[in-house]
Amino acid sequence: MGWGKSVPVVKLGQGLRLGPGLVLRPGHRLGLLVLLCCLALCPGPIHGDKVLVMPVEGSHWLSMKLLVKELAARGHEMVVLVPETSILIKSSDYHRTEIFRVPFNKAQLDKNVNKLKDDMFRKAPKVTDIFMNVQGLIDFTDMQVKGCEGLLYDEPLMQRLRGEGFKMMLTDPFLPCGSIIADSFNIPVVYFLKGIPCGMEDRAAQCPNPPSYVPRFFSGNTDHMDFLGRVKNMLMYSLESYLCTVMFASFDELTSRYLEKDMTYRELLGHGAIWLLRYDYSFEYPKPTMPNMVHIGGINCGKRDPLPEDLQEFVDESGEDGFVVFTLGSMVSQMPEEKAKQFFDAFSKIPQRVVWRYTGVVPKNAPANVRLMKWLPQNELLGHPNVKAFITHGGTHGTYEGICNGVPMVMLPLFAEQGDNVHRMAVRGVGEVLSLFDLTSEKLVEALNKVINDKSYKEKMMKLSAVHKDRPIEPLDLAVFWSEFVMRHGGAEHLRPAAHDLNWIQYHSLDVFTLLLTIVLIVVIVTVKCCKVCFRKCCGTKRTMKKKSA
Amino acid sequence: MGWGKSVPVVKLGQGLRLGPGLVLRPGHRLGLLVLLCCLALCPGPIHGDKVLVMPVEGSHWLSMKLLVKELAARGHEMVVLVPETSILIKSSDYHRTEIFRVPFNKAQLDKNVNKLKDDMFRKAPKVTDIFMNVQGLIDFTDMQVKGCEGLLYDEPLMQRLRGEGFKMMLTDPFLPCGSIIADSFNIPVVYFLKGIPCGMEDRAAQCPNPPSYVPRFFSGNTDHMDFLGRVKNMLMYSLESYLCTVMFASFDELTSRYLEKDMTYRELLGHGAIWLLRYDYSFEYPKPTMPNMVHIGGINCGKRDPLPEDLQEFVDESGEDGFVVFTLGSMVSQMPEEKAKQFFDAFSKIPQRVVWRYTGVVPKNAPANVRLMKWLPQNELLGHPNVKAFITHGGTHGTYEGICNGVPMVMLPLFAEQGDNVHRMAVRGVGEVLSLFDLTSEKLVEALNKVINDKSYKEKMMKLSAVHKDRPIEPLDLAVFWSEFVMRHGGAEHLRPAAHDLNWIQYHSLDVFTLLLTIVLIVVIVTVKCCKVCFRKCCGTKRTMKKKSA
């Protein structure tokens, strides 16, 4: 490896720190100039390590791609495993693509994915949605497990990959394939994720998550709960534990079958070297964390390409009223015509221009201030000085791009963790939440006017943005550093907590409590017995004495 | 504030990253040159914020001083509060010193401090030492509380300080004065520490610390314990909870008396914005951490001045045999004559030269390979290529300097957490532990030969050193960043866990469990009763029917 071996960290404000002993301060003008000339002329990385990448389709890939690209730019050879049904994962010049066959076609996959979101426009959200979501997820992951089997049992491909000498696996543990291959190839694995359903990432990393102040998924709680809120949270926590078992049953089965050892998916995940978690505490409530958890929230905000010329013109000319960005994420570009009409109607009533990712039916009288697009350069648009608000489904990527750029939001959650995401933003006073089911143009206009004209939304968002962006090292650099750390040291064994070697009873010291309680009980019983005997003897003696004296 | 407002983070390997949007990669040769010329010519910080510093005497100050110096170099005005009895905290040109009166003199303080260490040369270590240590600590902290009162109730001084408009308090929470003043002045506080007796830092920061795998102080456990080890750990954990109450009683009293509110010292500490903790996971066992805990282990290794000429010559000329560094820390420069003789005797039997911090009696036949000094440039000596071993008492500073420089150690723990420190190093196979009480020259020679000639010690130490030094940002930079973050944002409120607002019962959800158990019990009882009634009715009917049919 060229530069990858040692990453000298340098901070301008403090001079150039090239290592523990060597610091060039701003005072050292000449030295600085000489050093920097060398820097400008020195060669880039010559060769790197081989990294196997097992991504997850959809928006998950969009941010992992940034890390893959950066590692490639640093000289590493990136090999990305892609199912033949892939939608967003394309081949590119910065990574090699290995396509594997899956026992289903795109139409079947689409049908499966669409199940997850279709009801959102038609039904009012209910508490029981959690079960619907879970069933949808089970169907979805069952299909993905089948896809994974297509790869794992493709012996010639696996044989070839095994022989390539990969130094590391980079994967999204939302699906089990990457972790299983890493274990099978005996290479360290780095996880890249926002989270896994039912908080599996914390369970697998042995990270404590007290239900008294860490709100559970779908609970509607914040980190400050009253008694009933905590009761609800505890019930959701118990429910999650059950759902974890149900939802990951097929992963557990695949893990133990393929690796030929008695191991659950959770145990397998516990062998991960580093967890690159796409959140930070401008978004998430503060809670315990583990030494091998690295927070890279906002990693997707770094990317900023120039806008296409006509779009640039459209937003530049939006003037003082500015414009609104509207997208429901990578998976949803259409909606029922009747619902779309509400949006068009609302947009005709606001002075702002609107850039909307929409590929559905367009009414004849569509307002002129709306620009429809097949795909939005979201982060670039949100970074434009004229942007006034962001209508979003509350996916993690969009939410972070809203935070990075300090844009107040109107949020229309669809499914999965989006409800929790938008709740976090609403609680911080940086946006308004609406329900897609009973959305009307009036409600939308009212919410838009609120977040645009009530200055408190913008002010709070700018404060949140300032805190989020004020960090000692950029999230992408952090992700690169820890990926390369794992390659340099063959893992991160010094960060693995010993809790992994304890079972549930041992971890919670229940066996120890039982012993101590037993000892205390024995001591109490023996003491009481002794006292009784003494008392009897004493009384007996007294009685005898009384009798005698009588 | 000048540069302090925004600290652009730059990494050479990835090009110059000046913010989310602006990255100059090595390819951009010309841009890089232009930028760097500007950088070399741009002005340093013009003015900074005012920081109040309340340090703790002894080695605690030696590393805090590095941060104070760096913050001063970045343009902040540092005001250090120093008791008139101070030994190591001297006035300097990079900070202003405010000296306050204390109701005792240096001799009294020395006597108190000496109590803590005197027995170490005379007595075998015992389990009951924990109580002796605690009593010593109580005496020591009681005296410090008196000193603190001298400052707090010096009305004119406090009035003047209050009016100075400090932006932040930097303090070591080993003593309560800093936190109390910060609360009284209503300024955010940053803690700088290795730890506080009885694990108070974790308790105060709401950091979970499962006793099933986080070894407690003085327990002699590692993070991997068998059943009896876990029982012992749990007992030590319970003991700690008790000791916490006893040891910090005077702090609690002072806190509530001075601040005129019902508040324990632990609650006061919970208001700290950032905990700068002088350890990392090359030293400590992996365990849960909190978002406002920042690990700066090895911060003291950055400092490296040139060696004095004669000392440089002495170690340069040690040749292939090399030399050994020997010091028992900032507090111990002497020892009983008989004990010292064992050391001189041992050193006469090894081929290495020895640099020893010693101010006691020197025997007539002192070996020629020993150089005695009043004060050692420890980190500089340990960084010399000829150094072969480090004889140390196992203080955190020395231990980290051993790790940074990859020098195997022979460890002679004295008191406080030193026993735990050396145990961590011995377990990692990078050093040998001896007891000062029954030390003989033979034992010392044997241990020295072992760590010098058995290559496994050096190899393991070099691996540990590599892991420790492989970090995305230097500890001092990290400490500076978070100190300035607190100044920029008036604290770090987004990192404060909501656990602080819960009492012990609520935190552990005991009230919730009680409710849920009660409900379950009621349901069970009602069900059983119903069943009984049904059963009776059913049987009753049958009996009646039987009777009728009969």
Side-chain angles (χ1 to χ4, degrees):
Chain A
M1 206 160 42
W3 287 9
K5 279 284 182 206
S6 63
V7 185
V9 178
V10 177
K11 275 172 70 182
L12 292 187
Q14 291 176 258
L16 293 174
R17 181 173 295 272
L18 302 171
L22 181 55
V23 179
L24 270 178
R25 294 190 187 288
H28 309 165
R29 303 267 186 266
L30 190 65
L32 197 59
L33 261 175
V34 172
L35 171 91
L36 297 176
C37 292
C38 296
L39 213 178
L41 300 170
C42 69
I46 300 161
H47 71 283
D49 288 317
K50 271 192 165 179
V51 181
L52 191 55
V53 184
M54 181 77 228
V56 164
E57 187 53 88
S59 62
H60 289 235
W61 167 243
L62 294 182
S63 50
M64 186 190 263
K65 193 170 73 170
L66 300 171
L67 177 57
V68 171
K69 209 170 173 175
E70 189 69 28
L71 285 172
R74 290 174 63 80
H76 302 290
E77 195 180 330
M78 309 301 290
V79 179
V80 182
L81 295 168
V82 184
E84 57 187 357
T85 51
S86 168
I87 307 162
L88 285 174
I89 312 176
K90 304 263 163 59
S91 64
S92 88
D93 54 354
Y94 58 85
H95 65 75
R96 195 179 98 207
T97 309
E98 285 285 352
I99 292 169
F100 60 91
R101 272 173 301 172
V102 289
F104 46 82
N105 58 31
K106 260 191 184 168
Q108 285 170 302
L109 184 71
D110 282 347
K111 195 181 145 203
N112 201 300
V113 170
N114 288 338
K115 251 198 219 165
L116 286 173
K117 58 186 181 185
D118 265 4
D119 287 341
M120 298 304 137
F121 294 100
R122 291 194 302 250
K123 289 194 307 181
K126 279 182 299 193
V127 178
T128 49
D129 283 355
I130 186 169
F131 295 101
M132 297 301 294
N133 275 321
V134 169
Q135 191 50 51
L137 266 175
I138 291 176
D139 294 348
F140 178 71
T141 50
D142 275 356
M143 188 168 233
Q144 296 291 330
V145 164
K146 279 191 198 114
C148 184
E149 284 175 332
L151 169 61
L152 292 177
Y153 292 100
D154 182 344
E155 271 305 322
L157 175 59
M158 288 295 280
Q159 204 81 33
R160 184 157 56 78
L161 291 173
R162 194 185 293 269
E164 288 209 33
F166 290 104
K167 268 278 182 104
M168 186 190 98
M169 163 67 85
L170 174 67
T171 189
D172 184 330
F174 186 73
L175 294 180
C177 230
S179 319
I180 292 176
I181 294 176
D183 190 281
S184 168
F185 286 10
N186 200 19
I187 52 174
V189 55
V190 169
Y191 299 130
F192 188 101
L193 68 159
K194 159 65 186 13
I196 325 180
C198 81
M200 180 61 122
E201 72 279 13
D202 286 330
R203 290 169 201 261
Q206 299 285 357
C207 183
N209 241 338
S212 51
Y213 75 97
V214 181
R216 310 314 308 171
F217 300 90
F218 307 113
S219 68
N221 281 326
T222 71
D223 57 344
H224 287 87
M225 310 170 215
D226 58 11
F227 179 66
L228 285 181
R230 287 191 292 113
V231 171
K232 189 178 173 192
N233 214 46
M234 180 61 81
L235 291 174
M236 292 303 282
Y237 184 70
S238 316
L239 185 63
E240 263 183 22
S241 304
Y242 165 71
L243 291 179
C244 246
T245 320
V246 176
M247 259 161 58
F248 291 104
S250 57
F251 287 19
D252 290 345
E253 192 275 328
L254 180 64
T255 302
S256 53
R257 170 160 46 97
Y258 189 79
L259 297 174
E260 291 175 353
K261 44 188 168 184
D262 186 23
M263 192 185 230
T264 63
Y265 185 53
R266 176 185 160 165
E267 283 163 355
L268 177 66
L269 284 182
H271 289 276
I274 294 288
W275 296 79
L276 299 174
L277 295 163
R278 281 194 290 106
Y279 66 79
D280 68 354
Y281 299 99
S282 66
F283 168 86
E284 192 49 90
Y285 301 114
K287 56 180 190 171
T289 177
M290 294 303 282
N292 61 348
M293 288 178 153
V294 177
H295 297 96
I296 54 165
I299 190 170
N300 49 313
C301 296
K303 184 189 142 281
R304 188 156 297 175
D305 299 319
L307 286 175
E309 218 167 287
D310 58 331
L311 187 61
Q312 181 78 45
E313 212 169 275
F314 182 75
V315 293
D316 280 350
E317 287 170 7
S318 62
E320 262 194 27
D321 285 326
F323 68 97
V324 172
V325 180
F326 175 25
T327 157
L328 293 176
S330 56
M331 284 167 82
V332 183
S333 67
Q334 301 192 12
M335 60 175 78
E337 211 176 326
E338 204 42 47
K339 195 59 72 182
K341 224 184 133 287
Q342 299 291 336
F343 283 99
F344 281 110
D345 193 29
F347 296 150
S348 71
K349 292 175 193 160
I350 58 169
Q352 285 80 22
R353 289 186 172 186
V354 179
V355 187
W356 178 7
R357 181 186 175 224
Y358 179 66
T359 58
V361 180
V362 182
K364 277 179 197 160
N365 57 346
N369 62 335
V370 179
R371 163 78 54 113
L372 301 175
M373 304 190 72
K374 278 188 183 168
W375 188 260
L376 275 190
Q378 187 170 283
N379 191 44
E380 289 80 355
L381 282 170
L382 291 172
H384 193 280
N386 289 3
V387 70
K388 295 293 174 197
F390 180 27
I391 309 176
T392 170
H393 63 305
T396 330
H397 287 97
T399 306
Y400 262 109
E401 285 167 9
I403 295 175
C404 294
N405 295 295
V407 185
M409 304 191 266
V410 171
M411 298 166 288
L412 304 155
L414 293 169
F415 52 84
E417 87 288 8
Q418 292 161 10
D420 288 324
N421 294 351
V422 304
H423 189 237
R424 276 159 176 69
M425 291 298 102
V427 164
R428 284 172 166 83
V430 300
E432 284 290 312
V433 183
L434 295 176
S435 157
L436 257 176
F437 162 68
D438 57 4
L439 185 87
T440 61
S441 63
E442 289 74 27
K443 282 187 189 171
L444 184 59
V445 169
E446 192 191 333
L448 274 173
N449 283 335
K450 214 167 163 187
V451 302
I452 294 172
N453 300 324
D454 179 345
K455 293 296 164 217
S456 80
Y457 289 89
K458 181 73 181 174
E459 276 164 21
K460 283 178 186 160
M461 193 45 134
M462 290 309 286
K463 266 193 194 169
L464 197 64
S465 186
V467 163
H468 165 67
K469 290 196 285 189
D470 197 356
R471 50 203 170 195
I473 179 162
E474 290 303 303
L476 183 57
D477 294 340
L478 208 54
V480 166
F481 173 83
W482 282 108
S483 301
E484 292 190 337
F485 182 99
V486 167
M487 289 187 249
R488 281 193 288 275
H489 301 276
E493 203 51 39
H494 72 301
L495 301 180
R496 180 181 163 83
H500 286 293
D501 303 319
L502 300 173
N503 61 35
W504 190 84
I505 289 177
Q506 291 168 331
Y507 179 91
H508 292 97
S509 299
L510 298 185
D511 50 352
V512 173
F513 283 128
T514 307
L515 176 79
L516 296 178
L517 270 178
T518 309
I519 291 174
V520 168
L521 263 180
I522 290 174
V523 168
V524 167
I525 290 172
V526 168
T527 312
V528 168
K529 289 250 168 186
C530 284
C531 286
K532 269 187 180 173
V533 170
C534 288
F535 184 75
R536 248 181 245 155
K537 275 203 172 169
C538 200
C539 289
T541 319
K542 270 186 186 171
R543 260 179 230 152
T544 324
M545 280 171 72
K546 267 186 185 174
K547 270 185 185 175
K548 274 185 182 171
S549 66
Chain B
M1 207 163 34
W3 285 10
K5 279 285 181 203
S6 63
V7 185
V9 178
V10 177
K11 278 171 72 184
L12 293 187
Q14 289 175 261
L16 292 172
R17 180 173 296 272
L18 301 170
L22 180 55
V23 179
L24 269 179
R25 292 189 189 286
H28 308 166
R29 305 266 186 264
L30 191 65
L32 196 61
L33 261 174
V34 171
L35 171 92
L36 296 174
C37 291
C38 298
L39 213 178
L41 301 169
C42 69
I46 301 158
H47 71 283
D49 287 317
K50 270 191 166 183
V51 180
L52 192 55
V53 184
M54 181 76 226
V56 164
E57 187 54 91
S59 61
H60 289 234
W61 167 243
L62 294 182
S63 50
M64 185 190 263
K65 190 170 75 171
L66 300 171
L67 176 58
V68 171
K69 207 169 174 176
E70 190 69 27
L71 286 171
R74 290 175 62 79
H76 302 289
E77 195 181 329
M78 310 301 291
V79 179
V80 182
L81 296 167
V82 184
E84 56 186 358
T85 51
S86 167
I87 308 163
L88 285 174
I89 311 175
K90 304 263 163 60
S91 63
S92 88
D93 55 354
Y94 59 84
H95 65 76
R96 195 179 98 206
T97 309
E98 286 284 352
I99 293 170
F100 60 91
R101 272 172 302 171
V102 289
F104 47 81
N105 58 33
K106 260 191 184 168
Q108 284 170 303
L109 184 71
D110 282 348
K111 194 181 147 203
N112 201 300
V113 169
N114 287 337
K115 250 197 223 168
L116 285 173
K117 58 185 182 184
D118 265 4
D119 289 341
M120 296 304 136
F121 295 99
R122 291 194 302 249
K123 287 194 309 181
K126 278 182 299 191
V127 179
T128 49
D129 283 356
I130 185 168
F131 296 101
M132 298 301 294
N133 275 320
V134 170
Q135 191 49 50
L137 266 175
I138 291 176
D139 293 348
F140 178 71
T141 49
D142 275 356
M143 187 165 232
Q144 296 292 331
V145 164
K146 280 192 195 115
C148 184
E149 283 175 332
L151 170 61
L152 292 177
Y153 291 100
D154 183 342
E155 271 306 322
L157 175 59
M158 288 295 280
Q159 203 83 30
R160 183 156 55 76
L161 290 174
R162 193 185 294 271
E164 287 209 31
F166 289 104
K167 268 279 181 104
M168 186 189 97
M169 163 68 84
L170 174 67
T171 189
D172 184 330
F174 186 73
L175 296 179
C177 231
S179 318
I180 292 176
I181 294 176
D183 189 282
S184 169
F185 286 10
N186 200 19
I187 51 174
V189 55
V190 169
Y191 299 128
F192 188 101
L193 68 157
K194 158 66 185 16
I196 326 181
C198 81
M200 180 61 122
E201 71 280 13
D202 286 330
R203 291 169 201 262
Q206 300 285 357
C207 183
N209 240 339
S212 52
Y213 75 97
V214 182
R216 310 313 309 170
F217 300 92
F218 306 113
S219 68
N221 282 326
T222 72
D223 56 345
H224 287 86
M225 309 169 215
D226 57 10
F227 179 68
L228 286 181
R230 287 192 293 114
V231 171
K232 189 179 173 191
N233 214 46
M234 180 60 80
L235 291 174
M236 293 303 284
Y237 184 71
S238 317
L239 185 63
E240 262 183 21
S241 304
Y242 164 71
L243 291 179
C244 247
T245 320
V246 177
M247 260 161 57
F248 291 104
S250 57
F251 287 19
D252 290 344
E253 192 275 329
L254 180 65
T255 302
S256 53
R257 169 159 48 96
Y258 189 80
L259 297 175
E260 290 175 354
K261 44 188 168 188
D262 186 24
M263 192 184 232
T264 62
Y265 184 52
R266 177 185 158 163
E267 284 163 355
L268 177 66
L269 285 182
H271 289 275
I274 294 289
W275 295 79
L276 299 173
L277 295 163
R278 281 194 291 105
Y279 65 79
D280 68 354
Y281 300 99
S282 65
F283 169 86
E284 193 50 88
Y285 302 113
K287 56 179 190 172
T289 178
M290 294 303 282
N292 61 348
M293 288 178 153
V294 178
H295 297 97
I296 54 164
I299 191 171
N300 50 311
C301 296
K303 182 187 144 285
R304 188 155 298 175
D305 299 319
L307 286 176
E309 218 167 287
D310 58 330
L311 187 60
Q312 181 77 46
E313 210 168 277
F314 183 76
V315 292
D316 280 350
E317 287 170 7
S318 62
E320 262 196 25
D321 285 326
F323 69 98
V324 172
V325 180
F326 175 23
T327 158
L328 293 176
S330 58
M331 284 168 81
V332 183
S333 67
Q334 300 192 12
M335 60 177 76
E337 209 175 325
E338 203 45 45
K339 194 60 72 183
K341 223 182 133 289
Q342 300 290 337
F343 283 98
F344 282 110
D345 193 28
F347 297 150
S348 72
K349 293 176 192 157
I350 58 169
Q352 284 80 23
R353 289 186 172 186
V354 179
V355 187
W356 179 8
R357 179 182 178 229
Y358 179 67
T359 59
V361 181
V362 182
K364 276 179 196 158
N365 57 346
N369 62 334
V370 178
R371 163 79 54 111
L372 300 175
M373 303 189 73
K374 277 189 184 167
W375 187 258
L376 276 190
Q378 188 170 283
N379 191 43
E380 289 79 356
L381 282 170
L382 292 171
H384 193 280
N386 288 4
V387 70
K388 295 292 175 195
F390 179 28
I391 309 175
T392 170
H393 63 307
T396 331
H397 287 96
T399 306
Y400 262 110
E401 286 168 8
I403 295 174
C404 294
N405 295 294
V407 185
M409 304 192 268
V410 171
M411 299 167 288
L412 305 156
L414 294 168
F415 52 82
E417 86 288 10
Q418 292 160 11
D420 289 323
N421 294 351
V422 303
H423 189 237
R424 276 158 175 69
M425 291 298 103
V427 163
R428 284 172 166 84
V430 300
E432 285 289 311
V433 183
L434 295 176
S435 157
L436 257 176
F437 162 68
D438 56 5
L439 185 87
T440 61
S441 63
E442 290 74 27
K443 281 186 190 172
L444 184 60
V445 170
E446 191 190 334
L448 276 173
N449 283 334
K450 213 166 163 186
V451 303
I452 294 172
N453 300 324
D454 179 343
K455 292 298 164 214
S456 79
Y457 289 89
K458 180 74 182 174
E459 277 164 21
K460 283 176 185 160
M461 192 46 134
M462 289 309 287
K463 267 194 193 165
L464 197 65
S465 186
V467 163
H468 165 67
K469 290 196 284 189
D470 197 355
R471 49 202 171 197
I473 178 162
E474 290 303 302
L476 183 57
D477 293 340
L478 208 53
V480 165
F481 173 83
W482 283 108
S483 301
E484 292 190 337
F485 182 99
V486 166
M487 289 187 249
R488 281 193 289 275
H489 301 276
E493 203 50 38
H494 72 300
L495 300 180
R496 181 180 163 82
H500 285 294
D501 303 318
L502 300 174
N503 61 35
W504 190 83
I505 289 177
Q506 290 168 331
Y507 179 90
H508 292 97
S509 300
L510 298 185
D511 49 353
V512 173
F513 283 128
T514 307
L515 177 78
L516 295 179
L517 270 178
T518 310
I519 291 173
V520 169
L521 262 180
I522 290 174
V523 169
V524 168
I525 290 172
V526 168
T527 312
V528 169
K529 290 248 168 187
C530 283
C531 286
K532 270 188 180 173
V533 169
C534 288
F535 183 74
R536 249 183 242 154
K537 273 205 173 169
C538 201
C539 289
T541 319
K542 270 187 187 169
R543 259 180 230 152
T544 323
M545 279 173 71
K546 267 187 187 173
K547 269 185 185 176
K548 273 186 182 172
S549 65

